[in-house]
Amino acid sequence: MSLIPKKGTVYVVDDDEAVRDSLQWLLEGKDYRVKCFDSAESFLSRFDPREVACLIADIRMEGMSGLELQDRLLERRSPLPVVFVTGHGDVPMAVTTMKKGAMDFIEKPFKEEELLSLVERMLDQARSTFSQHQEQASRDALLSRLTTRESQVLERIVAGRLNKQIADDLGISIKTVEAHRANIMEKLNANTVADLLKIALGAGAAHSKTA
């Protein structure tokens, strides 16, 4: 097996050692990188949100339950895809986890092919989300270079305001608006207004940068 796994990282959180060992053996055999934890608490203390990964967690565990773990991840706004392993009596709880964004749940004893299919779906989603987050971080980094006044001008450019209207809005001269526009284009590495809009709108509201 290669030192750098080809398929991504799978976190396994279960207080049953036999289950952890079984999942690790199955997933590593399919060239996934597997990180096992015996509690939700230990997982949260070592979880790297920058990693392209997914999570398989038991619903019933000593200490923090799988439901509580999901709530903690939601509080952190983690995009980590999650699937829960449940016992037969835990299906109502599993439905609750799906309403909160879990991708699926599987009942014990689970079928290997079903689990592997879920893992691949989760990692596909994780890769897509990670790419989006990288793009967002890049846009945010560019926008952070703007001064407050430049951000105010950009907000109005995005709203379709003309230079004269922007000047009236902000109580500045048209020449000052033109100077700010030039600075904005340079700082955001934009060659056209279309480039500018892609950066600003992709960042999900230039107005959030104005204060």
Side-chain angles (χ1 to χ4, degrees):
M1 187 182 298
S2 61
L3 293 177
I4 302 175
K6 300 173 183 177
K7 295 185 177 180
T9 297
V10 182
Y11 293 110
V12 175
V13 181
D14 199 307
D15 58 2
D16 185 327
E17 184 178 5
V19 172
R20 293 197 306 274
D21 289 346
S22 174
L23 286 171
Q24 184 166 13
W25 177 85
L26 170 64
L27 293 165
E28 286 185 345
K30 298 296 182 179
D31 208 17
Y32 293 102
R33 182 184 185 195
V34 183
K35 295 182 180 180
C36 293
F37 301 88
D38 60 6
S39 70
E41 292 87 346
S42 63
F43 165 72
L44 286 171
S45 69
R46 296 167 62 187
F47 163 53
D48 184 355
R50 298 166 299 178
E51 191 165 27
V52 177
C54 64
L55 170 64
I56 299 172
D58 195 4
I59 280 192
R60 292 186 184 275
M61 294 184 284
E62 293 292 328
M64 187 186 299
S65 70
L67 283 170
E68 292 170 320
L69 170 57
Q70 185 182 29
D71 286 339
R72 294 290 181 87
L73 290 171
L74 289 172
E75 287 170 8
R76 297 183 182 188
R77 297 184 179 181
S78 168
L80 186 71
V82 183
V83 64
F84 285 97
V85 178
T86 72
H88 293 298
D90 297 333
V91 171
M93 283 192 291
V95 171
T96 299
T97 70
M98 291 190 69
K99 289 179 179 178
K100 290 183 178 181
M103 281 195 67
D104 212 332
F105 64 90
I106 52 176
E107 291 186 77
K108 301 175 183 174
F110 53 82
K111 296 177 182 177
E112 292 185 0
E113 289 307 314
E114 178 185 1
L115 177 64
L116 292 170
S117 175
L118 276 174
V119 166
E120 197 51 47
R121 277 172 48 205
M122 287 196 292
L123 285 173
D124 282 344
Q125 177 177 307
R127 293 181 196 106
S128 175
T129 302
F130 184 78
S131 176
Q132 292 168 12
H133 278 228
Q134 291 291 89
E135 291 173 5
Q136 180 72 46
S138 177
R139 287 191 291 261
D140 287 346
L142 287 173
L143 288 168
S144 70
R145 300 166 65 183
L146 302 182
T147 65
T148 298
R149 179 63 85 192
E150 288 166 351
S151 294
Q152 292 169 341
V153 171
L154 176 59
E155 177 187 3
R156 286 158 177 80
I157 293 172
V158 171
R161 305 285 282 171
L162 302 175
N163 284 357
K164 185 178 185 309
Q165 294 171 316
I166 295 173
D168 291 341
D169 290 344
L170 300 178
I172 57 180
S173 71
I174 293 178
K175 283 191 174 182
T176 301
V177 173
E178 291 171 347
H180 284 315
R181 285 185 75 127
N183 287 339
I184 292 167
M185 298 287 281
E186 182 178 352
K187 288 183 178 180
L188 300 187
N189 299 323
N191 296 317
T192 66
V193 174
D195 292 339
L196 206 61
L197 293 176
K198 287 177 185 176
I199 295 169
L201 296 175
H207 67 267
S208 66
K209 292 289 178 180
T210 61

